[in-house]
Amino acid sequence: MRRRNALLIALVVALLLLVLALRWVGQPSRVAGLILSEAGKSLGLEITAAGASEYRLRGTPMLLLRDVVARQPGAATPLLRAERIQLELPWATIRAAGNDLTVRRIELDAPQLDIAALQRWQATRPPSKPRIPTLTEGLRLVRGRVIGDGWSIDALDIDLPALYPQRSLSAQVRGRFVSDTLAGPFDLEAALTRPAANAGLGLSGSVGVESPPWSLPMRLTLSGLVHDGVDGMGVDIIRLGAVARYRNGETELPFVFGLAGPLRMHSGEVGMSPLGFALRGRDAIPSLHAHGGFSFGDLLTLRLDGLIADWPKAWPALPEPMESSVSALPFKYEYRGRPDLSDTSAMQLQRDATRFDASFRLPEVLAWIDAIDQGTPLPPLAGHLSTPRLEIAGATLEGVEVDITPALGEAMSP
């Protein structure tokens, strides 16, 4: 009788535990909470999913999370938010308990990544060799956003058909770079020799720069090597070539240009130094080559030091003896201000013994170029010209100093 009672009690307890377990498993939010808690512990993050969660066990197991937030404990800014994250994991991956990183598919809706918060978290992680997962059915990301220091990438869509650690991959990447009044839509095909540091990277497609009333659509190709180090993420040995067209109202000026150098992204800023730059234009666009660098965060800092091959024929003619000279024109250019180049630029230009130091605002100069056939022959800039000899209207002046201001025009004192 005692054995029967003990067996009956055991059966009742087992059934009760089974009912409780089924009830607990039948609540996706609890399952999701447990999974996110364990994932957060392993990553040193607080990960929550405030929205309704779902999971599926038949076939390929699936977990769907909504309103996901991941942050460092105590951090004010999350490093990741997402409206929806869906994971499909084969049973073999689940049974492997982390030894197998094969995932069937990942989908993300409206993820938002904060670069500065991400890099702060990365700095706290112990050194380790990154493990690249296998995505047999790839990744789809829609309406994403990446937030940097003074800039963002909005409306980001990524379509990655598949990912394998030791194989090449390709993806379609679309989005819109935004900073202050400057915008840059892009639609690119991306390729990697493998998903790892020092892998070969290739990009090709359309990119634009827009700052009304002007725009700069272009087609570009880029190659380089993926970089990931203490100085940030980026691309080494960049070779970029682009066919571009400046447009402003009725004005349309074609040109081509190229860039070379290492690109770095660190603490939310993007920079390239040393930088090699070459421009080949016609009409009002000069041909030149230069070296220098730039950094881009809250402000854009740009410096170039190079040579203009010749004075563009569409620009106002120079006085003699500068007009007859066949010498190239060394120049230096510096800018620090808003990303649309609307703040004051400084430029130094020289031909033989003649030197001109100028300051100007690019939008005003572009407007002058647009109306160069109808407007004033003097560009809207302030500057100082010094030359040992100047010929004007048959007269020869020596030891000439010329000061130019946009408001007063030209004042000369020989």
Side-chain angles (χ1 to χ4, degrees):
M1 181 66 69
R2 288 197 189 96
R3 285 195 298 270
R4 290 178 182 174
N5 289 339
L7 180 61
L8 181 60
I9 290 171
L11 287 172
V12 170
V13 170
L15 287 171
L16 181 60
L17 290 173
L18 178 61
V19 169
L20 291 174
L22 289 173
R23 182 178 179 184
W24 185 85
V25 171
Q27 299 183 45
S29 61
R30 293 189 176 183
V31 176
L34 176 63
I35 293 173
L36 293 179
S37 176
E38 292 301 314
K41 288 178 183 178
S42 66
L43 295 172
L45 293 171
E46 294 176 349
I47 308 176
T48 59
S53 301
E54 302 174 22
Y55 71 91
R56 179 188 68 218
L57 296 179
R58 281 188 287 181
T60 300
M62 179 274 292
L63 176 66
L64 188 151
L65 307 169
R66 292 187 174 89
D67 301 329
V68 179
V69 178
R71 73 176 77 226
Q72 275 186 273
T77 304
L79 63 89
L80 177 67
R81 296 177 181 271
E83 286 184 7
R84 185 182 77 102
I85 298 177
Q86 180 173 316
L87 298 170
E88 296 183 27
L89 303 171
W91 280 109
T93 301
I94 297 173
R95 289 193 294 267
N99 294 320
D100 184 358
L101 294 183
T102 299
V103 178
R104 182 177 182 271
R105 184 168 174 81
I106 299 177
E107 295 183 1
L108 298 98
D109 289 358
Q112 181 173 295
L113 180 68
D114 188 284
I115 295 296
L118 171 66
Q119 292 181 332
R120 286 193 294 268
W121 168 72
Q122 287 179 322
T124 66
R125 304 300 295 161
S128 62
K129 185 177 180 180
R131 298 177 63 193
I132 305 299
T134 297
L135 307 179
T136 58
E137 296 297 324
L139 174 145
R140 189 205 66 169
L141 183 154
V142 296
R143 296 183 290 112
R145 189 167 190 245
V146 179
I147 302 171
D149 186 4
W151 59 270
S152 67
I153 297 175
D154 299 340
L156 179 63
D157 291 349
I158 299 176
D159 186 7
L160 175 67
L163 173 65
Y164 291 87
Q166 299 302 324
R167 299 186 192 176
S168 62
L169 63 94
S170 62
Q172 186 77 30
V173 184
R174 304 179 186 88
R176 186 176 183 84
F177 175 89
V178 178
S179 180
D180 196 21
T181 61
L182 189 73
F186 58 88
D187 187 348
L188 298 167
E189 291 281 349
L192 276 174
T193 55
R194 66 186 189 283
N198 299 316
L201 168 69
L203 296 174
S204 65
S206 62
V207 175
V209 181
E210 300 172 353
S211 184
W214 63 269
S215 64
L216 192 67
M218 66 187 85
R219 298 284 302 180
L220 66 77
T221 58
L222 178 149
S223 65
L225 298 177
V226 175
H227 176 90
D228 187 8
V230 294
D231 58 343
M233 299 178 290
V235 184
D236 286 332
I237 319 178
I238 283 182
R239 297 289 186 270
L240 181 150
V243 178
R245 192 171 292 270
Y246 168 78
R247 291 174 177 165
N248 190 345
E250 299 297 321
T251 302
E252 191 162 308
L253 302 172
F255 62 95
V256 298
F257 73 92
L259 289 175
L263 181 72
R264 292 290 182 271
M265 182 167 60
H266 186 65
S267 300
E269 287 195 356
V270 178
M272 197 171 189
S273 183
L275 162 70
F277 177 71
L279 173 67
R280 297 292 178 265
R282 62 185 186 188
D283 299 326
I285 303 292
S287 293
L288 59 88
H289 65 269
H291 63 273
F294 80 87
S295 63
F296 181 67
D298 284 332
L299 297 175
L300 171 64
T301 301
L302 173 62
R303 55 180 177 81
L304 293 173
D305 189 339
L307 287 172
I308 298 176
D310 200 359
W311 188 260
K313 295 187 182 302
W315 292 5
L318 294 171
E320 293 293 351
M322 291 179 286
E323 177 68 17
S324 298
S325 175
V326 294
S327 300
L329 294 89
F331 77 93
K332 292 182 179 180
Y333 174 83
E334 292 186 359
Y335 176 83
R336 179 176 173 80
R338 286 174 287 186
D340 60 1
L341 296 173
S342 60
D343 288 319
T344 301
S345 296
M347 187 169 184
Q348 181 186 107
L349 187 63
Q350 188 168 341
R351 181 167 239 178
D352 300 323
T354 300
R355 174 171 159 169
F356 182 46
D357 293 276
S359 61
F360 58 91
R361 295 178 184 272
L362 183 62
E364 297 172 0
V365 173
L366 292 175
W368 172 76
I369 291 176
D370 292 337
I372 200 168
D373 294 332
Q374 299 87 24
T376 172
L378 293 177
L381 50 77
H384 179 80
L385 173 72
S386 63
T387 182
R389 186 167 63 92
L390 194 64
E391 297 178 11
I392 298 178
T396 299
L397 305 176
E398 295 182 351
V400 177
E401 303 285 335
V402 179
D403 290 312
I404 300 174
T405 65
L408 301 178
E410 182 179 16
M412 179 181 297
S413 57

